Amino acid sequence: MNKKKIKHFKKVEPIEVEVKGLPDHVRVGYKDIKIKYVRPEYKKWLMTDCFGEYDYRQNIISIQHDLCGQERANTIIHEIMHAAVSVSGLNQEKAALEKDEHEEAVVNQLTNVMMGVFRDNPWIVEMLKNDLDKTEND
């Protein structure tokens, strides 16, 4: 009986790129998450099928470094939403988003809708910036 040899490939990370003026971390719930900007590796197909990804074990959001403003903003919010799902436990066994495909669909749909809300109603972003730290006594 012929046994096929299984090749084990070492996971190669996309190349991190220094980008000035963009955020390098975000806090989601109790987690401090690093944001890194990466150059996709097209020869090895690393991050070429998506604009970003959230690694919950390493607490890292990776974003393709050369996205236009709209795509970068949408991708960062999308990955923050994945972090929120993870931190809240919505993707645990027997939870609403247990299946990866359900999580991706919900995160993608809500992110796209909310980005439209933020773009079409800039007063919301301003109100959030101004009011989030105010308390009843302010």
Side-chain angles (χ1 to χ4, degrees):
M1 176 190 262
N2 284 341
K3 289 187 178 180
K4 290 184 179 180
K5 270 193 166 184
I6 298 174
K7 291 183 180 180
H8 295 281
F9 295 98
K10 179 181 171 189
K11 183 178 178 188
V12 179
E13 295 295 322
I15 300 164
E16 190 166 351
V17 177
E18 186 176 332
V19 179
K20 294 182 181 181
L22 294 177
D24 63 359
H25 68 281
V26 63
R27 180 171 289 164
V28 178
Y30 69 92
K31 287 193 172 204
D32 293 319
I33 301 169
K34 178 181 179 182
I35 299 174
K36 67 180 186 177
Y37 302 89
V38 297
R39 179 178 296 120
E41 179 56 66
Y42 291 97
K43 288 183 181 180
K44 296 182 179 145
W45 295 96
L46 299 172
M47 278 196 66
T48 58
D49 58 344
C50 62
F51 290 154
E53 67 181 10
Y54 169 58
D55 182 332
Y56 70 95
R57 291 179 187 227
Q58 294 185 44
N59 291 321
I60 295 173
I61 291 174
S62 299
I63 305 291
Q64 285 193 21
H65 76 291
D66 59 353
L67 298 175
C68 71
Q70 282 184 341
E71 292 297 347
R72 181 176 51 240
N74 185 278
T75 301
I76 287 175
I77 294 298
H78 179 98
E79 299 309 329
I80 288 171
M81 293 286 283
H82 277 297
V85 166
S86 177
V87 168
S88 67
L90 283 169
N91 58 356
Q92 292 180 352
E93 187 176 343
K94 297 185 181 173
L97 301 177
E98 175 183 11
K99 294 183 178 180
D100 288 342
E101 62 270 16
H102 293 168
E103 177 181 337
E104 187 61 33
V106 168
V107 165
N108 196 49
Q109 292 164 0
L110 287 176
T111 299
N112 292 344
V113 168
M114 290 310 298
M115 292 304 290
V117 170
F118 295 147
R119 184 195 61 217
D120 297 339
N121 304 283
W123 63 266
I124 292 174
V125 175
E126 284 302 313
M127 182 192 72
L128 290 171
K129 285 181 356 185
N130 293 327
D131 290 354
L132 276 177
D133 289 333
K134 292 181 182 174
T135 63
E136 190 175 311
N137 298 324
D138 288 342

